[in-house]
Amino acid sequence: MPTDYDRFQTIRSQTLQRIEEITASPKPTYQVGDQRVNWQEYVDSLRQTVAWCDCHLADGSPFEVHSRGVTDEH
């Protein structure tokens, strides 16, 4: 079963892939009836998703603590 860390990694990876696809062949902003499609706004929202994932990955990433042993000498 995937962990939350794995899920954030997957979301981040898929989102970066989508950004790459969109920016490889940019499309113009257009409107059909009442619906407006702004590709730059969409890419910006995808970048926010990547940043959101990065925050969660940083919070859950493994870390190492280096310390010096403390002796209790009285």
Side-chain angles (χ1 to χ4, degrees), residues 7-23 42-53:
R7 288 184 187 102
F8 287 122
Q9 285 278 51
T10 300
I11 293 167
R12 185 181 189 281
S13 176
Q14 291 172 345
T15 304
L16 286 172
Q17 182 179 357
R18 185 68 182 128
I19 291 170
E20 185 177 332
E21 291 167 0
I22 292 170
T23 56
Y42 181 52
V43 170
D44 291 344
S45 72
L46 292 173
R47 288 185 176 134
Q48 289 175 356
T49 299
V50 172
W52 175 78
C53 288

Side-chain angles (χ1 to χ4, degrees), residues 7-74:
R7 288 184 187 102
F8 287 122
Q9 285 278 51
T10 300
I11 293 167
R12 185 181 189 281
S13 176
Q14 291 172 345
T15 304
L16 286 172
Q17 182 179 357
R18 185 68 182 128
I19 291 170
E20 185 177 332
E21 291 167 0
I22 292 170
T23 56
S25 56
K27 298 178 174 107
T29 295
Y30 63 90
Q31 188 162 338
V32 177
D34 293 337
Q35 185 177 7
R36 181 172 180 260
V37 178
N38 184 319
W39 289 98
Q40 186 57 51
E41 287 177 5
Y42 181 52
V43 170
D44 291 344
S45 72
L46 292 173
R47 288 185 176 134
Q48 289 175 356
T49 299
V50 172
W52 175 78
C53 288
D54 287 343
C55 287
H56 286 283
L57 289 168
D59 289 343
S61 62
F63 63 92
E64 201 171 305
V65 176
H66 295 273
S67 65
R68 298 177 64 108
V70 177
T71 59
D72 191 0
E73 296 179 20
H74 291 273

